[in-house]
PDB file of all heavy atoms in Angstrom:
ATOM      1  N   THR A  14     267.173  53.658 -61.739  1.00  0.00           N
ATOM      2  CA  THR A  14     268.067  54.249 -60.745  1.00  0.00           C
ATOM      3  C   THR A  14     268.620  53.191 -59.808  1.00  0.00           C
ATOM      4  O   THR A  14     269.805  53.226 -59.435  1.00  0.00           O
ATOM      5  CB  THR A  14     267.331  55.355 -59.956  1.00  0.00           C
ATOM      6  OG1 THR A  14     266.880  56.365 -60.877  1.00  0.00           O
ATOM      7  CG2 THR A  14     268.249  55.996 -58.926  1.00  0.00           C
ATOM      8  N   SER A  15     267.800  52.211 -59.440  1.00  0.00           N
ATOM      9  CA  SER A  15     268.280  51.099 -58.615  1.00  0.00           C
ATOM     10  C   SER A  15     269.340  50.301 -59.369  1.00  0.00           C
ATOM     11  O   SER A  15     270.345  49.867 -58.782  1.00  0.00           O
ATOM     12  CB  SER A  15     267.120  50.192 -58.209  1.00  0.00           C
ATOM     13  OG  SER A  15     266.230  50.867 -57.348  1.00  0.00           O
ATOM     14  N   LEU A  16     269.139  50.100 -60.668  1.00  0.00           N
ATOM     15  CA  LEU A  16     270.126  49.404 -61.489  1.00  0.00           C
ATOM     16  C   LEU A  16     271.434  50.193 -61.527  1.00  0.00           C
ATOM     17  O   LEU A  16     272.526  49.619 -61.373  1.00  0.00           O
ATOM     18  CB  LEU A  16     269.589  49.206 -62.906  1.00  0.00           C
ATOM     19  CG  LEU A  16     270.595  48.705 -63.949  1.00  0.00           C
ATOM     20  CD1 LEU A  16     271.162  47.342 -63.548  1.00  0.00           C
ATOM     21  CD2 LEU A  16     269.954  48.649 -65.331  1.00  0.00           C
ATOM     22  N   TYR A  17     271.322  51.488 -61.712  1.00  0.00           N
ATOM     23  CA  TYR A  17     272.495  52.361 -61.751  1.00  0.00           C
ATOM     24  C   TYR A  17     273.280  52.246 -60.446  1.00  0.00           C
ATOM     25  O   TYR A  17     274.513  52.098 -60.450  1.00  0.00           O
ATOM     26  CB  TYR A  17     272.037  53.805 -61.986  1.00  0.00           C
ATOM     27  CG  TYR A  17     273.118  54.853 -61.869  1.00  0.00           C
ATOM     28  CD1 TYR A  17     273.968  55.132 -62.942  1.00  0.00           C
ATOM     29  CD2 TYR A  17     273.292  55.570 -60.690  1.00  0.00           C
ATOM     30  CE1 TYR A  17     274.953  56.100 -62.843  1.00  0.00           C
ATOM     31  CE2 TYR A  17     274.271  56.535 -60.578  1.00  0.00           C
ATOM     32  CZ  TYR A  17     275.101  56.804 -61.654  1.00  0.00           C
ATOM     33  OH  TYR A  17     276.076  57.763 -61.547  1.00  0.00           O
ATOM     34  N   GLN A  18     272.575  52.286 -59.323  1.00  0.00           N
ATOM     35  CA  GLN A  18     273.233  52.185 -58.019  1.00  0.00           C
ATOM     36  C   GLN A  18     273.871  50.810 -57.824  1.00  0.00           C
ATOM     37  O   GLN A  18     274.980  50.695 -57.286  1.00  0.00           O
ATOM     38  CB  GLN A  18     272.227  52.454 -56.902  1.00  0.00           C
ATOM     39  CG  GLN A  18     271.719  53.886 -56.875  1.00  0.00           C
ATOM     40  CD  GLN A  18     270.531  54.069 -55.948  1.00  0.00           C
ATOM     41  OE1 GLN A  18     269.911  53.090 -55.509  1.00  0.00           O
ATOM     42  NE2 GLN A  18     270.198  55.313 -55.652  1.00  0.00           N
ATOM     43  N   MET A  19     273.180  49.775 -58.287  1.00  0.00           N
ATOM     44  CA  MET A  19     273.704  48.414 -58.141  1.00  0.00           C
ATOM     45  C   MET A  19     274.984  48.232 -58.966  1.00  0.00           C
ATOM     46  O   MET A  19     275.963  47.635 -58.496  1.00  0.00           O
ATOM     47  CB  MET A  19     272.650  47.394 -58.558  1.00  0.00           C
ATOM     48  CG  MET A  19     273.049  45.964 -58.275  1.00  0.00           C
ATOM     49  SD  MET A  19     273.221  45.579 -56.521  1.00  0.00           S
ATOM     50  CE  MET A  19     271.510  45.361 -56.053  1.00  0.00           C
ATOM     51  N   LEU A  20     274.978  48.762 -60.186  1.00  0.00           N
ATOM     52  CA  LEU A  20     276.168  48.658 -61.038  1.00  0.00           C
ATOM     53  C   LEU A  20     277.327  49.461 -60.465  1.00  0.00           C
ATOM     54  O   LEU A  20     278.481  49.029 -60.504  1.00  0.00           O
ATOM     55  CB  LEU A  20     275.847  49.154 -62.452  1.00  0.00           C
ATOM     56  CG  LEU A  20     274.943  48.273 -63.311  1.00  0.00           C
ATOM     57  CD1 LEU A  20     274.577  48.994 -64.595  1.00  0.00           C
ATOM     58  CD2 LEU A  20     275.608  46.934 -63.624  1.00  0.00           C
ATOM     59  N   ARG A  21     277.018  50.616 -59.906  1.00  0.00           N
ATOM     60  CA  ARG A  21     278.067  51.512 -59.433  1.00  0.00           C
ATOM     61  C   ARG A  21     278.568  51.162 -58.037  1.00  0.00           C
ATOM     62  O   ARG A  21     279.775  51.184 -57.767  1.00  0.00           O
ATOM     63  CB  ARG A  21     277.558  52.960 -59.441  1.00  0.00           C
ATOM     64  CG  ARG A  21     278.623  53.984 -59.079  1.00  0.00           C
ATOM     65  CD  ARG A  21     278.061  55.388 -59.021  1.00  0.00           C
ATOM     66  NE  ARG A  21     279.101  56.354 -58.717  1.00  0.00           N
ATOM     67  CZ  ARG A  21     278.883  57.627 -58.410  1.00  0.00           C
ATOM     68  NH1 ARG A  21     277.648  58.090 -58.368  1.00  0.00           N
ATOM     69  NH2 ARG A  21     279.887  58.438 -58.143  1.00  0.00           N
ATOM     70  N   LEU A  22     277.624  50.835 -57.132  1.00  0.00           N
ATOM     71  CA  LEU A  22     277.967  50.675 -55.729  1.00  0.00           C
ATOM     72  C   LEU A  22     277.858  49.238 -55.217  1.00  0.00           C
ATOM     73  O   LEU A  22     278.326  48.934 -54.128  1.00  0.00           O
ATOM     74  CB  LEU A  22     277.062  51.577 -54.870  1.00  0.00           C
ATOM     75  CG  LEU A  22     277.034  53.061 -55.246  1.00  0.00           C
ATOM     76  CD1 LEU A  22     275.947  53.777 -54.465  1.00  0.00           C
ATOM     77  CD2 LEU A  22     278.391  53.706 -55.013  1.00  0.00           C
ATOM     78  N   GLY A  23     277.181  48.394 -55.999  1.00  0.00           N
ATOM     79  CA  GLY A  23     276.980  47.021 -55.554  1.00  0.00           C
ATOM     80  C   GLY A  23     275.797  46.849 -54.631  1.00  0.00           C
ATOM     81  O   GLY A  23     275.557  45.771 -54.090  1.00  0.00           O
ATOM     82  N   SER A  24     275.031  47.920 -54.431  1.00  0.00           N
ATOM     83  CA  SER A  24     273.828  47.859 -53.605  1.00  0.00           C
ATOM     84  C   SER A  24     272.916  49.003 -54.008  1.00  0.00           C
ATOM     85  O   SER A  24     273.331  49.936 -54.699  1.00  0.00           O
ATOM     86  CB  SER A  24     274.180  47.974 -52.112  1.00  0.00           C
ATOM     87  OG  SER A  24     274.765  49.239 -51.842  1.00  0.00           O
ATOM     88  N   THR A  25     271.651  48.926 -53.588  1.00  0.00           N
ATOM     89  CA  THR A  25     270.704  50.003 -53.880  1.00  0.00           C
ATOM     90  C   THR A  25     270.402  50.760 -52.604  1.00  0.00           C
ATOM     91  O   THR A  25     270.395  50.197 -51.514  1.00  0.00           O
ATOM     92  CB  THR A  25     269.385  49.453 -54.454  1.00  0.00           C
ATOM     93  OG1 THR A  25     268.801  48.557 -53.496  1.00  0.00           O
ATOM     94  CG2 THR A  25     269.625  48.696 -55.751  1.00  0.00           C
TER      95      THR A  25
END
Side-chain angles (χ1 to χ4, degrees):
T14 301
S15 294
L16 170 60
Y17 172 83
Q18 293 169 346
M19 187 65 79
L20 289 172
R21 185 183 182 190
L22 306 171
S24 63
T25 59

